[in-house]
Amino acid sequence: MDHVLNETVGGRPIEVVDELTPDMARRVLELVSEAARTDGQPAVSEQGRLQLRGRRPGVRHLLLRDELGELVGYGQLEDTDPVEAPAAELVVHPAHRGRGHGRALGTALLKESGRRLRVWAHGGHPAARHLAQSLGMALFRELRQMRRPLALPGTAAAAALGPGLPEIAEPVLPEGVTVRTFRPGEDDAAWLAANAAAFAHHPEQGSLTQRDLDDRKAEPWFDPEGFFLAERGGELVGFHWTKVHAEDRLGEVYVVGVRPDAQGGGLGKALTAVGLRHLAAQGLPTAMLYVDADNKAAVTVYERMGFTTHEVDLMYRTET
């Protein structure tokens, strides 16, 4: 573990490192989990939590401890985008809030980034919005979490939902397209290439590497039977990767992607239906997904499929 910085911000010592020890990574995860129980969702994203393990190029960790040496705040800075400003997430233990710790972490993140920074406020809580504004940051992006009840057509559960909710229709695939499930190890390279092509406009998703994929395959929730690949002529043209949050009994449209040369033919809608029907067949009562609020076309498609906004994540950035 290389120490990058040890300094005091607002009277608080903050340590910045580019790699966490396994014990410190565990303590950070405990802090994130404790805060999530209070806030309703984690303040550090799935990608951020995966980046606690080992050294990650461009990723730095900020550790804020109290006078007894206990971890009370954590910040993560990711500087991997060649165009956009570094992105950050931060969290303060619920029992230690209201004491300026969040502002100290935010100030340290600004310094580490050269005052060129983007910060996520997951759930858009008022305290997070106030902190961002006090740091001189402006609202930049809104990410919606949308949800809908799940039930297969013709079942008692579907009947109980009433007439107002659109059914999960039988998927209609474009001509020549077939769907199968992901084969770990065999399909990795093809999926990474298709993902990069489908999300060339979205660096957070489109830049996933083999290590990122391996991280997710190693997670307890990973199930290749819920990872659907669409092929035409032996070429991967689209996919729908689902995820199950077992503790919350919640199914997720984790990521749906269609290669640019296969878009416009209804493949994305069909793949979404394939995944939703799979999740419903698991007996899960609810499905969720994330979509940028300014992606009007996608929001409209999901609304027509019965999804409504459940909560929002907000991203703030320094004025440029």
Side-chain angles (χ1 to χ4, degrees), residues 58 60 76-89 106-120 135-138 140 203 315-320:
R60 280 166 281 176
Q76 183 177 121
L77 186 68
E78 181 180 2
D79 187 8
T80 56
D81 193 304
V83 177
E84 291 284 1
E89 299 175 297
T107 300
L109 286 165
L110 280 170
K111 181 175 181 180
E112 282 292 297
S113 68
R115 302 198 63 81
R116 186 171 173 266
L117 183 67
R118 297 173 295 152
V119 175
W120 277 110
L135 294 171
M137 308 183 78
F140 165 58
M315 175 176 267
Y316 293 83
R317 69 176 177 183
T318 49
E319 298 283 11
T320 57

Side-chain angles (χ1 to χ4, degrees), residues 100-308:
H101 295 323
R103 186 177 180 88
L105 278 170
T107 300
L109 286 165
L110 280 170
K111 181 175 181 180
E112 282 292 297
S113 68
R115 302 198 63 81
R116 186 171 173 266
L117 183 67
R118 297 173 295 152
V119 175
W120 277 110
H122 296 291
H125 295 292
R129 294 199 301 267
H130 176 73
L131 173 61
Q133 291 163 359
S134 71
L135 294 171
M137 308 183 78
L139 182 62
F140 165 58
R141 180 181 173 193
E142 177 184 326
L143 186 67
R144 295 186 186 179
Q145 185 193 127
M146 304 183 76
R147 295 189 179 188
R148 65 152 288 162
L150 277 178
L152 288 173
T155 63
L161 295 176
L165 184 71
E167 289 189 340
I168 307 171
E170 185 75 32
V172 179
L173 295 167
E175 185 177 355
V177 174
T178 58
V179 173
R180 63 173 176 84
T181 55
F182 181 82
R183 296 186 293 253
E186 296 180 33
D187 292 322
D188 293 26
W191 179 79
L192 285 167
N195 180 72
F199 292 97
H201 62 290
H202 194 303
E204 289 177 1
Q205 178 65 32
S207 63
L208 292 185
T209 65
Q210 182 68 53
R211 181 174 182 178
D212 295 319
L213 178 57
D214 289 342
D215 284 341
R216 286 157 176 77
K217 289 194 297 182
E219 288 292 292
W221 58 261
F222 177 73
D223 178 10
E225 295 303 308
F227 193 163
F228 300 95
L229 305 182
E231 292 181 320
R232 179 190 283 131
E235 180 186 8
L236 180 56
V237 293
F239 53 89
H240 182 179
W241 189 352
T242 67
K243 177 179 180 180
V244 174
H245 301 261
E247 289 187 5
D248 300 320
R249 287 184 48 73
L250 189 65
E252 181 177 349
V253 178
Y254 189 53
V255 57
V256 177
V258 177
R259 295 185 70 109
D261 56 0
Q263 293 176 2
L267 179 56
K269 183 177 180 180
L271 281 167
T272 302
V274 168
L276 289 175
R277 292 174 72 88
H278 167 77
L279 294 171
Q282 311 306 303
L284 298 166
T286 308
M288 61 164 283
L289 56 83
Y290 288 97
V291 61
D292 277 292
D294 62 1
N295 188 346
K296 303 298 184 184
V299 170
T300 299
V301 167
Y302 291 134
E303 287 178 339
R304 288 174 179 168
M305 296 184 77
F307 284 88
T308 58

